[in-house]
Amino acid sequence: MNNIESIVKKIADDAKLSAEQKIAEAQQEAQTVIDNVAMIGIDYPVACRLGSVTNDTSRVDNVKKTDITAITNAFCARIAEAGLMPVVNGNKYWLLRKIDLTQLGKYDIWLSQDGDKPDYPYTFTMWQYDTDAKIDGIVKDARLDISFVDYTQK
């Protein structure tokens, strides 16, 4: 094996280890959520939301689509193993371009898209339609969501 092949193999091995570390971290984060939810109890789903950060860099900005999908699946699977309902949350761009929905089909989708009428082409069960609503008694902007599924009955 020449030096270039060795370098390429090392980079590939490091990338694989990095992806495996991210998956393990997603499972640990899911466990933290599970531990906290157990104290309060909830009837609605636990969302996995990976995404870009405005005016900053996100830890997943340069992560491959296959790895982001694996990370999302690892988080959601751990949530489901604990008897909770996982959902995948994201905006239209993220859901269509950054993850592989064919690998996450067993999880409901919670779409984040401001406006009166979403143009996301696939089925979603929850919709965040406003991220800066003004509500009396709430100091900061409020996010408004609607669920098309009664998760208390699911």
Side-chain angles (χ1 to χ4, degrees):
M1 186 180 300
N2 65 34
N3 286 342
I4 293 174
E5 289 173 336
S6 296
I7 291 168
V8 170
K9 183 179 181 331
K10 172 138 179 45
I11 291 169
D13 290 346
D14 288 349
K16 183 178 180 185
L17 179 61
S18 180
E20 290 171 358
Q21 287 172 329
K22 287 178 176 71
I23 289 169
E25 187 175 312
Q27 292 168 328
Q28 291 171 346
E29 289 182 20
Q31 188 59 52
T32 299
V33 170
I34 292 163
D35 294 343
N36 284 290
V37 166
M39 292 187 282
I40 58 171
I42 61 169
D43 294 324
Y44 266 66
V46 173
C48 179
R49 180 181 176 89
L50 300 174
S52 300
V53 179
T54 306
N55 299 323
D56 204 349
T57 56
S58 166
R59 293 172 55 206
V60 293
D61 280 349
N62 297 313
V63 178
K64 295 184 303 184
K65 183 176 187 173
T66 54
D67 292 339
I68 291 173
T69 302
I71 292 164
T72 302
N73 193 45
F75 181 91
C76 290
R78 182 66 195 101
I79 294 296
E81 287 169 8
L84 299 168
M85 292 173 284
V87 295
V88 176
N89 175 256
N91 62 31
K92 178 181 164 184
Y93 173 80
W94 187 264
L95 293 170
L96 295 177
R97 305 270 185 210
K98 300 297 278 185
I99 60 175
D100 182 356
L101 290 174
T102 65
Q103 302 298 312
L104 301 168
K106 59 185 162 189
Y107 306 118
D108 288 351
I109 299 296
W110 180 1
L111 175 66
S112 297
Q113 183 179 9
D114 281 9
D116 294 332
K117 185 177 178 185
D119 62 353
Y120 180 72
Y122 301 112
T123 301
F124 54 95
T125 58
M126 293 171 55
W127 174 32
Q128 181 179 85
Y129 59 92
D130 196 342
T131 56
D132 59 357
K134 309 294 184 219
I135 298 178
D136 290 341
I138 298 177
V139 177
K140 294 183 177 185
D141 292 342
R143 295 179 179 194
L144 302 179
D145 301 85
I146 186 169
S147 177
F148 303 107
V149 172
D150 182 355
Y151 283 101
T152 63
Q153 302 300 311
K154 196 169 179 181

